[in-house]
């Protein structure tokens, strides 16, 4: 607290430091948690928001983007939340459980707690857990990004969230949709902790609804996947939003386990979906998919580090990006293979489709391999709609706009189909169409 | 139905002239064959009719049922009844064949102010056409043309043609790549579409196809111009003697 700042603070940084002073007494946590929060604020004070001279944020300068920082969103308004919940319905008729947070805070009354309890899932309030003895463990950082600026922002201000725990062997029969609702303007800072016991199985849907005004949304998801467990998560980042949307995945995967995720992004002005995935047990598999659309002046960033810290694991990374207008797409993906992580199989591909001359894609797939007996590959492509394909469709009577839509859908569907989870991804086609029609 | 008058076209990119004054009139109910050496401009003519914008029209006109076809977009031409069976049908990964067929049929119907097809009606039509052309439903479950063999692609083109029921069918070397049985199946499919209201332009190198689809008129295209027009015997003559005689006249 006594250190003099090393940098000249921007308006947003000053706002954030003020925000911390004015809200810290209301933020939950044990003494150890408070210390973590203080350290995180210290980091913001010393280094500021992450900016383009920080390698990981080279293409996504959050410091330049955030002109100011709103206060944290006020207390939850359940009536408003109910209306938003009824209205948003991201998954139509899909049979699912819902778990709701309002302005970052768990709302048990709007959640299917009974149903989930019946299935053997324990749902609890993140804040209560944060106050407990093991509270600080809920705020772990990924090994591969110990001082990440977005995670620091989350740690400093996290308002609440949900803890979802599956005991060994629990297989949830329906997907669980975690709906994070904003009922008032202001920053929304949440954290979700998901613990999968041995052999358990969960399909998670992550959706976000409501307006945050000029407040940033910062959501961290921390998945702890035990041996033989399986987790599939679909993250839906949609809607035209002017404030920064920041998403972080931290995943540790034990032995013979499966992790699969799809990050779907369309609409926000500035969105970053960063994922830090670490294999901690052998013979496991991670499949990470990204489907990104950006138009206008949007920036959409998919950042990923997969740590093959142990031998005999497979990972697949497949990202598709469609850009229009003067939008900028970013893919930074790195597969790390530790020296003893023999027999690693990693296959990373990032492909961009540029619908305009001025759109720009920064594709940066990387392999960092220290083991000698591995199969790893990466590739990146960037191109326009193939005029011959377009002509073929038009020659069959399909008008140009519809033909383009079909080709964009075809491009994106490769990743969506490989992800699978057909019942969940059914509605994505409609979202792509909506985006194409209205971005 | 189709009137091509003194049509000149060049490649937009490098301005090379490919069509150098094509004149051709095809009436409803007629089948015309166009033959000619490699590179003489047959496919170019078919692309220009379909509206591909790689080519620039520098002179001449094309009337389709009296309307200036060159002013129409490719999809408008299709809705008006123009169909090109491509020499090299394109694979489109990620676009399901059935979805494509449905979209194309309904887009044309909408453009003509007709009702869209119900799913059962659509399925019925596809199944009927597929069975006539020996196209398996399995093939139709795949993305459009993806992994189809050369002959399967050609059959799929004729399947599309039967479903879209065009007024003017331009078939660009539909026979190439077909085995003997497939040639018969495809020809039967084409012959079934022959009607007094429909015209066909069949581009081919081989008399063999014309044994099955007997043309009313045969043209020789050379260096971007029609240099000889005759009846079906002209094709037989070409088969025996080659193009030398006609190309020389053109020079
Ligand atoms: N888009 C293009 N770009 C460059 N050259 C072209 C293009 N289209 C046609 N050509 C050239 O124009 C000439 C005529 O081509 P076209 O495909 O029309 O011939 P064709 O009569 O159909 O030949 P084939 O019997 O081999 O199919 C060829 O020399 C070809 O290389
Ligand atoms: Mg040709």
């Amino acid at each position: 607290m006594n250190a003099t700042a090393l940098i000249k603070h921007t308006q947003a940084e000053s706002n954030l430091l003020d925000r911390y002073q004015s809200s810290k007494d209301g933020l939950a946590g044990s003494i150890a948690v408070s210390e973590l929060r203080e350290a995180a604020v210290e980091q913001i004070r010393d280094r500021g928001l992450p900016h383009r001279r920080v390698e990981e944020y080279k293409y996504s300068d959050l410091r330049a983007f955030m002109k100011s920082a709103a206060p944290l969103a006020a207390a939850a308004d359940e009536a408003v939340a109910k209306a938003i919940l009824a209205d948003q319905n991201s998954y139509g008729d899909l049979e699912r459980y819902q778990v709701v947070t309002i302005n970052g805070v768990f709302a048990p009354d709007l959640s299917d707690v009974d149903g989930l309890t019946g299935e053997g899932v324990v749902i609890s309030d993140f804040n209560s857990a944060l106050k407990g003895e093991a509270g600080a463990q809920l705020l772990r950082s990924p090994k591969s990004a110990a001082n990440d600026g977005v995670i620091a922002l989350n740690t400093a201000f996290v308002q609440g969230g949900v803890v979802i725990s599956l005991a060994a062997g629990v297989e949830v029969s329906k997907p669980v949709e975690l709906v994070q609702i904003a009922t008032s303007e202001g920053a929304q800072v949440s954290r979700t902790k998901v613990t999968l016991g041995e052999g358990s199985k969960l399909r998670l849907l992550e959706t976000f609804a409501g307006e945050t005004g000029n407040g940033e949304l910062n959501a961290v998801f921390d998945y702890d996947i035990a041996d033989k467990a399986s987790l599939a998560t679909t993250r839906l980042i949609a809607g035209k939003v002017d404030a920064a949307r920041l998403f972080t995945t931290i995943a540790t995967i034990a032995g013979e386990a499966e992790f699969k995720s799809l990050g779907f992004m369309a609409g926000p002005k500035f969105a970053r979906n960063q994922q830090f995935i670490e294999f901690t047990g052998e013979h496991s598999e991670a499949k990470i998919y990204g489907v990104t659309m950006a138009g206008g002046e949007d920036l959409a960033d998919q950042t990923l580090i997969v740590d093959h810290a142990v031998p005999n694991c497979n990972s697949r990374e497949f990202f598709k990006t469609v850009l229009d207008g003067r939008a900028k797409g970013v893919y930074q993906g790195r597969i790390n293979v530790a020296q003893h992580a023999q027999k690693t199989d990693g296959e990373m591909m990032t492909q961009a489709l540029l619908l305009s001359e001025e759109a720009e894609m920064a594709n940066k797939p990387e392999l960092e391999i220290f083991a000698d007996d591995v199969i790893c590959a990466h590739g990146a492509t960037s191109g326009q709609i193939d005029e011959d394909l377009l002509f073929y469709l038009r020659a069959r009577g399909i008008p140009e706009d519809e033909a383009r839509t079909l080709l964009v859908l075809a491009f994106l569907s490769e990743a969506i189909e490989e992800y699978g989870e057909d019942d969940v991804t059914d509605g994505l086609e409609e979202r792509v169409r909506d985006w194409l029609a209205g971005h | 139905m189709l009137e091509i008058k003194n049509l000149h076209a060049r490649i937009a990119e490098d301005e090379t002239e490919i069509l150098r004054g094509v004149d051709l009139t095809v009436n409803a109910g007629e089948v015309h064959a166009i033959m000619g050496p490699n590179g003489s401009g047959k496919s170019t003519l078919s692309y220009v009719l379909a509206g591909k914008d790689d080519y620039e029209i520098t002179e001449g006109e094309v009337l389709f049922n009296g309307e200036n076809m060159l002013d129409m977009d490719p999809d408008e031409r299709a809705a008006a009844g123009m169909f090109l069976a491509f020499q090299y049908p394109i694979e489109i990964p990620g676009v399901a064949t059935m979805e494509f067929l449905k979209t194309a049929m309904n887009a044309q119907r909408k453009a003509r102010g007709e009702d869209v097809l119900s799913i059962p009606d659509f399925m019925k039509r596809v199944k009927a056409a597929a069975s006539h052309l020996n196209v398996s439903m399995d093939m139709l479950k795949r993305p459009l043309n993806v992994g189809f063999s050369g002959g399967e692609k050609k059959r799929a083109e004729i399947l599309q043609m039967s479903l879209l029921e065009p007024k003017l069918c331009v078939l660009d070397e539909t026979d190439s790549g077909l085995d003997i049985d497939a040639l018969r199946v495809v020809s039967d499919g084409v012959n079934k579409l022959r009607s007094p209201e429909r015209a066909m332009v069949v581009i081919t190198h081989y008399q063999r196809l014309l044994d099955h689809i007997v043309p009313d008129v045969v043209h020789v295209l050379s260096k971007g111009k029609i240099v000889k027009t005759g009846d079906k015997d002209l094709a037989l003559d070409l088969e025996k003697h080659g193009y030398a005689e006609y190309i020389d006249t053109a020079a």
Side-chain angles (χ1 to χ4, degrees):
Chain A
M1 297 295 298
N2 48 16
T4 28
L6 305 173
I7 54 160
K8 185 174 172 350
H9 291 139
T10 60
Q11 179 66 50
E13 285 157 1
S14 302
N15 293 156
L16 288 166
L17 297 172
D18 290 347
R19 180 206 278 176
Y20 185 69
Q21 287 311 320
S22 60
S23 55
K24 68 174 179 185
D25 293 339
L27 293 169
S30 62
I31 290 172
V33 166
S34 299
E35 284 169 6
L36 286 174
R37 289 188 190 269
E38 291 284 345
V41 172
E42 205 67 25
Q43 181 181 328
I44 298 163
R45 190 193 321 275
D46 289 353
R47 303 185 197 179
L49 287 164
H51 51 79
R52 65 180 202 284
R53 284 190 301 280
V54 176
E55 183 61 22
E56 294 78 12
Y57 287 84
K58 187 172 167 186
Y59 306 102
S60 310
D61 192 330
L62 184 61
R63 190 174 198 225
F65 176 78
M66 274 181 78
K67 299 294 175 229
S68 64
L72 289 176
D77 183 331
E78 215 164 271
V80 174
K82 267 187 189 149
I84 293 173
L85 189 61
D87 202 41
Q88 61 100 27
N89 197 17
S90 295
Y91 287 98
D93 296 338
L94 180 73
E95 281 276 337
R96 64 202 191 268
Y97 294 112
Q98 283 188 322
V99 175
V100 176
T101 67
I102 309 175
N103 297 351
V105 180
F106 179 41
D109 292 349
L110 298 187
S111 305
D112 295 323
V113 177
D114 291 347
L116 283 162
T117 308
E119 294 240 17
V121 180
V122 180
I123 303 276
S124 57
D125 176 28
F126 191 84
N127 280 342
S128 313
L130 218 45
K131 290 175 199 153
E133 223 164 88
Q137 284 167 26
L138 289 173
L139 297 180
R140 67 172 177 167
S141 272
K143 281 202 193 109
S144 55
N147 297 308
D148 178 75
V150 164
I151 299 177
L153 267 180
N154 187 279
T155 301
F157 295 109
V158 63
Q159 293 159 289
V162 204
V163 179
I164 302 176
S165 306
L166 275 67
V170 170
E171 290 188 17
V172 188
S173 64
K174 295 185 272 189
V176 176
E177 183 188 15
L178 181 60
V179 194
Q180 305 203 14
I181 298 176
T183 59
S184 55
E185 295 201 347
Q188 306 269 335
V189 188
S190 73
R191 190 143 174 155
T192 307
K193 172 81 189 183
V194 181
T195 306
L196 271 76
E198 189 173 333
S200 65
K201 206 167 176 178
L202 176 67
R203 301 166 72 199
L204 194 62
L205 310 173
E206 298 157 0
T207 49
F208 307 88
E211 299 292 332
T212 61
N214 67 339
E216 84 273 12
L217 185 149
N218 185 325
V220 171
F221 295 84
D222 180 344
Y223 315 122
D224 188 348
I225 305 165
D227 288 348
K228 299 190 172 73
S230 155
L231 174 64
T233 68
T234 308
R235 184 170 300 162
L236 213 54
I237 303 166
K240 280 192 175 179
V241 194
D242 289 335
R245 303 241 128 180
L246 309 166
F247 305 86
T248 304
T249 297
I250 302 168
T252 47
I253 309 168
E256 294 171 56
E258 280 172 17
F259 174 60
K260 196 163 80 160
S261 81
L262 172 68
F264 181 95
M265 263 198 306
K269 250 200 148 43
F270 185 109
R272 176 171 166 109
N273 186 35
Q274 53 174 6
Q275 309 188 64
F276 307 102
I277 292 150
E278 186 191 355
F279 289 105
T280 59
E282 296 187 33
H283 301 288
S284 290
E285 184 173 66
K287 292 178 162 181
I288 319 296
Y289 300 93
V291 168
T292 307
M293 276 153 285
E297 309 260 318
D298 298 351
L299 176 131
D301 173 341
Q302 297 263 20
T303 288
L304 173 70
I305 298 179
V306 178
D307 259 318
H308 283 267
V310 294
N312 293 312
C313 290
N314 297 343
S315 73
R316 162 74 165 154
E317 298 78 16
F318 191 16
F319 285 73
K320 293 268 190 176
T321 307
V322 175
L323 299 173
D324 202 357
R326 305 183 47 186
K328 199 165 141 194
V330 179
Y331 174 78
Q332 308 181 92
R334 197 167 83 222
I335 299 179
N336 293 332
V337 183
Q339 196 168 358
H340 59 279
Q342 303 295 3
K343 306 283 181 200
T344 288
D345 187 338
E347 198 193 339
M348 173 158 52
M349 176 54 89
T350 166
Q351 298 176 324
L353 183 62
L354 308 181
L355 302 181
S356 75
E357 297 279 321
E358 287 164 304
E360 205 187 315
M361 180 72 197
N363 253 335
K364 218 174 110 193
E366 291 177 297
L367 300 175
E368 209 170 283
I369 303 176
F370 294 102
D372 49 23
D373 184 13
V374 302
I375 308 170
C376 281
H378 67 28
T381 65
S382 205
Q384 274 111 33
I385 283 197
D386 185 327
E387 290 295 326
D388 287 337
L389 303 190
L390 194 61
F391 174 65
Y392 187 91
L393 296 175
R394 296 185 70 194
R396 293 300 177 250
I398 302 174
E400 182 169 3
D401 279 354
E402 176 63 14
R404 282 184 189 280
T405 299
L406 281 181
L407 292 175
V408 169
L409 281 168
F411 171 78
L412 295 175
S413 71
E414 281 185 287
I416 296 171
E417 274 169 22
E418 207 181 289
Y419 174 61
E421 306 287 315
D422 300 354
D423 53 344
V424 167
T425 56
D426 255 0
L428 292 184
E429 179 177 323
E430 212 43 48
R431 285 180 184 272
V432 175
R433 284 179 180 278
D434 286 350
W435 180 83
L436 284 169
H439 68 273
Chain B
M1 169 154 313
L2 177 69
E3 282 174 87
I4 304 176
K5 293 180 195 160
N6 190 32
L7 184 65
H8 289 253
R10 63 186 189 191
I11 298 165
E13 207 172 20
D14 62 8
E15 308 196 344
T16 315
E17 187 165 55
I18 309 291
L19 300 182
R20 299 186 174 96
V22 175
D23 287 290
L24 176 68
T25 301
V26 182
N27 298 309
E30 293 177 355
V31 173
H32 288 229
I34 298 182
M35 306 183 79
N38 293 134
S40 55
K42 302 182 298 296
S43 293
T44 301
L45 176 62
S46 74
Y47 282 144
V48 165
L49 292 177
K52 195 167 194 198
D53 63 6
D54 294 17
Y55 305 97
E56 223 169 64
I57 311 304
T58 51
E59 232 185 298
E61 62 176 347
V62 178
L63 300 178
F64 184 34
N65 289 323
E67 272 191 80
N68 179 0
M69 185 148 108
L70 298 176
D71 278 351
M72 297 158 80
D73 284 336
D75 45 291
E76 292 172 340
R77 297 181 194 198
M82 161 74 205
F83 181 92
L84 167 62
F86 284 71
Q87 182 174 2
Y88 303 109
I90 300 177
E91 303 196 0
I92 311 193
V95 173
T97 304
M98 290 299 262
E99 194 58 34
F100 160 77
L101 292 173
K102 190 158 65 99
T103 308
M105 288 168 79
N106 282 334
Q108 292 200 13
R109 298 175 74 90
K110 267 188 237 162
R112 293 192 292 258
E114 299 163 15
D115 286 344
V116 301
L117 293 169
S118 70
I119 304 274
D121 191 8
F122 164 74
M123 288 304 295
K124 211 172 72 195
R125 289 170 189 234
V126 173
K127 278 187 182 144
S131 86
H132 283 130
L133 289 161
N134 263 346
V135 171
S136 69
M137 290 311 280
D138 221 37
M139 235 169 90
L140 299 179
K141 285 191 188 122
R142 283 192 248 159
L144 189 56
N145 291 329
V146 174
F148 289 15
S149 74
E152 285 171 342
K153 281 181 186 158
K154 297 302 179 76
R155 271 187 280 153
E157 291 288 288
I158 302 307
L159 173 76
Q160 291 179 29
M161 187 168 99
S162 340
L163 289 170
L164 293 167
E165 300 175 331
K167 295 199 179 95
L168 173 66
C169 309
V170 179
L171 281 69
D172 191 358
E173 293 196 28
T174 297
D175 50 339
S176 65
L178 291 180
D179 66 41
I180 296 159
D181 293 335
L183 184 67
R184 191 174 319 110
V185 169
V186 165
S187 305
D188 287 351
V190 173
N191 284 330
K192 270 184 61 159
L193 289 172
R194 283 182 85 151
S195 91
E197 288 84 45
R198 192 170 275 142
M200 295 192 181
V201 175
V202 180
I203 297 170
T204 183
H205 286 294
Y206 305 107
Q207 161 60 29
R208 206 181 46 178
L209 176 72
L210 304 179
D211 285 340
H212 294 281
I213 307 171
V214 181
D216 301 298
V217 188
V218 175
H219 308 274
V220 177
L221 188 76
S222 171
K223 298 191 181 126
K225 273 181 91 138
I226 288 180
V227 294
K228 175 82 184 169
T229 296
D231 61 12
K232 63 181 181 355
D233 294 338
L234 176 58
L236 291 168
D237 189 56
L238 288 168
E239 180 96 339
K240 258 193 224 126
H241 301 111
Y243 292 116
E245 185 186 335
Y246 305 106
I247 292 169
D248 286 342
T249 351

